[in-house]
Amino acid sequence: GQQLNQSPQSMFIQEGEDVSMNCTSSSIFNTWLWYKQEPGEGPVLLIALYKAGELTSNGRLTAQFGITRKDSFLNISASIPSDVGIYFCAGQLMGSSNTGKLIFGQGTTLQVKP
Amino acid sequence: NAGVMQNPRHLVRRRGQEARLRCSPMKGHSHVYWYRQLPEEGLKFMVYLQKENIIDESGMPKERFSAEFPKEGPSILRIQQVVRGDSAAYFCASSSQGGNGYTFGSGTRLTVV
């Protein structure tokens, strides 16, 4: 079945450092989404990308929709302790836009040392 | 303006019992999605429903699992004769129209003992 490969699996960084994570697939997507999940809660949408090549920012977060439609990255600049959590990429396959079904990556666990 | 409400937050069932998970979508939302998350993994799509209709159930196990979204009341995910492998977090999301602009609830954590 379709799969998103997300890396790295986990990161342990110092406060103030920049963070980068990415997702790749052999399938083509028409939408890429980035979510953050904190313990005991559901995923919260951070950034949505709808066009190949699109680069979008949300505060200290920046994400891009790869030009091939098969990948996306998320950058977090100047990390702070509240950035701790699990970050998931999610994509919607080409041709499935009428259902909204999302495929999720395995997640990147981020820990920030003050 | 309440978000997506799921209950219970935690549910413990013995093997062989039934589990019923409820999801009340955001006000005005008629599209509901259910996802399952196993420990240390991402979410896996289960089913997409629009009021009284199942639109896509390609992620639902063939046996023991069913979902409904009646005209009145919450959406229900029902798991019959639960087994240990059903232990997971089950998330519901809703939207006002089909597509991926949806909001997740806080989930129900099912533990089968």
Side-chain angles (χ1 to χ4, degrees), chain A residues 30-31 33 35 37-45 50 88 92 97-107, chain B residues 9 33 35 37 40-45 48 55-56 58-59 91 98-107 109:
Chain A
N30 62 23
T31 301
L33 306 168
Y35 287 88
Q37 185 179 28
E38 298 188 13
E41 296 298 327
V44 174
L45 183 64
Y50 299 105
F88 290 98
Q92 183 167 275
S97 57
N98 60 335
T99 68
K101 172 182 174 181
L102 293 177
I103 297 170
F104 277 78
Q106 304 97 322
Chain B
R9 288 293 301 269
Y33 302 79
Y35 285 77
Q37 185 178 32
E40 311 293 322
E41 294 188 11
L43 282 71
K44 296 283 197 299
F45 171 82
Y48 162 40
I55 308 300
D56 181 350
S58 58
F91 291 97
N100 50 51
Y102 43 72
T103 303
F104 282 93
S106 297
R109 277 139 192 90

Side-chain angles (χ1 to χ4, degrees), chain B residues 19 21 40 53 55 59 70 82 100 106 110-111:
Chain B
L21 288 61
E40 311 293 322
N53 292 306
I55 308 300
V82 295
N100 50 51
S106 297
L110 172 65
T111 302

Side-chain angles (χ1 to χ4, degrees), chain B residues 9-101:
Chain B
R9 288 293 301 269
H10 300 275
L11 182 61
V12 179
R13 283 287 178 267
R14 295 186 185 279
R15 280 178 295 170
Q17 291 185 319
E18 178 181 288
R20 292 172 70 89
L21 288 61
R22 293 175 186 77
C23 170
S24 296
M26 289 181 69
K27 188 176 180 181
H29 286 191
S30 59
H31 299 252
V32 165
Y33 302 79
W34 285 93
Y35 285 77
R36 176 164 64 175
Q37 185 178 32
L38 294 171
E40 311 293 322
E41 294 188 11
L43 282 71
K44 296 283 197 299
F45 171 82
M46 298 182 75
V47 63
Y48 162 40
L49 309 104
Q50 194 178 351
K51 277 291 186 181
E52 300 185 90
N53 292 306
I54 296 174
I55 308 300
D56 181 350
E57 57 181 347
S58 58
M60 286 281 270
K62 293 287 185 277
E63 298 177 345
R64 301 187 297 108
F65 284 71
S66 62
E68 62 177 13
F69 188 17
K71 188 176 180 181
E72 301 291 337
S75 175
I76 305 287
L77 179 67
R78 184 180 175 210
I79 311 172
Q80 295 177 289
Q81 299 173 337
V82 295
V83 300
R84 289 228 171 100
D86 297 332
S87 295
Y90 292 82
F91 291 97
C92 167
S94 74
S95 70
S96 56
Q97 56 190 21
N100 50 51

